[in-house]
Amino acid sequence: MHLKTVVLASAIITVTTGIETHGGYQYEARFSPEATPEAKNIKDPYETTAATIANARLREQVEATGIARQCLAESADAEPAGLYALKDCIAADNKRNFFTLLAEDIEESKAFWTQVIQESTTDRTKWVPARAVSDYPHLFLQYPYTKCYFNGNLTATQFAAWTLSQNADEANLNANPEHYYKETVLDSTGAQRSEIFEGWGGVLSTFGMKRTNFTVPAFAPPEYGTVDTPEAWDIGPSFPLPLQRVGAKVLTSEDGQTFGALHIAVRDFTASEGSTGESGIEIYSAVWYPPWDQASEADQAEFVNNYLADEAHHMVVEVINLTQKAHEDCKSGLCVIPSSI
Ligand SMILES: *[C@@H]1O[C@H](CO)[C@@H](O)[C@H](O)[C@H]1NC(C)=O
Ligand SMILES: *[C@@H]1O[C@H](CO)[C@@H](O)[C@H](O)[C@H]1NC(C)=O
Ligand SMILES: *[C@@H]1O[C@H](CO)[C@@H](O)[C@H](O)[C@H]1NC(C)=O
């Protein structure tokens, strides 16, 4: 509780501008297509707080289990770089260590999502997107759109190709403090199947990290207007369909229940569409969740307003870190869509 209070206070103080700069490139996030860009930086405050929480939990579990104990000497620094070094050390010992270290967290999260699913409509037209509350007094559909002003130095096609490469999985552990495992395989049609273990909460909401073990069994270009991908999820023609992917998020458990749907898209935008005079790529990322419509009013409000805001902020952190890494990797000509798909 005390930690959370301190954290919220520091997030509020870090008010700067609508543009944040990372690795020499400018970024701008908004939480709906027509909204004005967020006035405060998203990445640094969110990532730093999430790193503090993850660092404390991991160290506690390394102490308790003795797994990868040598890593405790690695870095006491909870800033993102220190936490990433700790995770790299734990993964170097065995990249499946996180499943054991955080086994209780996985169980807790599974119970949470099972309850949300049970107490929600299965009608996906009523699902709610991960969103953030910004200046809007009322509920407002919001999902992150992040403009990345690469000015031709990273294109939408290059980024899409990079996300299909092994490098994307390799960057995962350092892309977000709460990332613990990601393994992706492509099938012959180009659909991606990923096994993912991550958390994405506890910074803005009281629900905690919810460290969840899940799979996205088929992440592929969507066909809108179906039961699985309702018309309302269509983001229009400015995002080319081949550079969009949608896939169910399925809990890793015997009954494999679907607890959400992931939707990511990328497009090139021209200098006249941006606010800095430069061109770049825009990344749309949303996760649609069951609305928990049969929960208490207080729980539902916390879930929809604050917990899903955590996830929206988490995704902005990830978009910035991954585009930075993709830009580095693509310089060496790696970023070409495989000709087999
Ligand atoms: C994400 O940003 C943090 C903080 O700047 C950095 O330590 C980390 O290496 C970045 N991750 C990637 C994959 O570039
Ligand atoms: C982007 O690439 C151009 C060359 O195409 C280069 O002149 C420019 O410095 C690069 N921008 C950044 C911010 O690195
Ligand atoms: C988590 O998922 C992985 C597959 O990605 C599986 O091997 C592992 O056993 C699962 N662990 C738990 C505790 O659910």
Side-chain angles (χ1 to χ4, degrees), residues 43 47 80-81 84 171 174 321:
K43 181 181 185 263
E47 191 179 28
Y84 292 141
N174 288 3
N321 267 334

Side-chain angles (χ1 to χ4, degrees), residues 217-332:
F219 195 46
E223 188 191 326
Y224 291 113
T226 63
V227 172
D228 283 350
T229 318
E231 207 63 63
W233 297 5
D234 191 344
I235 48 175
S238 64
F239 283 89
L241 212 48
L243 302 186
Q244 291 191 42
R245 287 183 172 238
V246 176
K249 293 172 74 164
V250 176
L251 289 174
T252 305
S253 58
E254 307 74 52
D255 49 358
Q257 299 191 76
T258 294
F259 71 106
L262 177 65
H263 183 182
I264 299 186
V266 57
R267 71 178 186 106
D268 293 302
F269 67 87
T270 62
S272 65
E273 289 177 82
S275 50
T276 70
E278 296 199 336
S279 63
I281 64 173
E282 183 166 45
I283 296 172
Y284 166 87
S285 49
V287 184
W288 292 86
Y289 285 111
W292 210 8
D293 45 318
Q294 292 137 45
S296 72
E297 215 169 292
D299 277 350
Q300 202 207 10
E302 180 64 20
F303 179 69
V304 171
N305 296 338
N306 299 336
Y307 180 70
L308 297 187
D310 261 328
E311 174 142 37
H313 285 63
H314 167 107
M315 288 190 283
V316 173
V317 171
E318 181 165 338
V319 162
I320 295 174
N321 267 334
L322 293 181
T323 51
Q324 293 274 309
K325 188 65 173 51
H327 171 250
E328 232 172 76
D329 290 348
C330 292
K331 283 191 213 156
S332 57

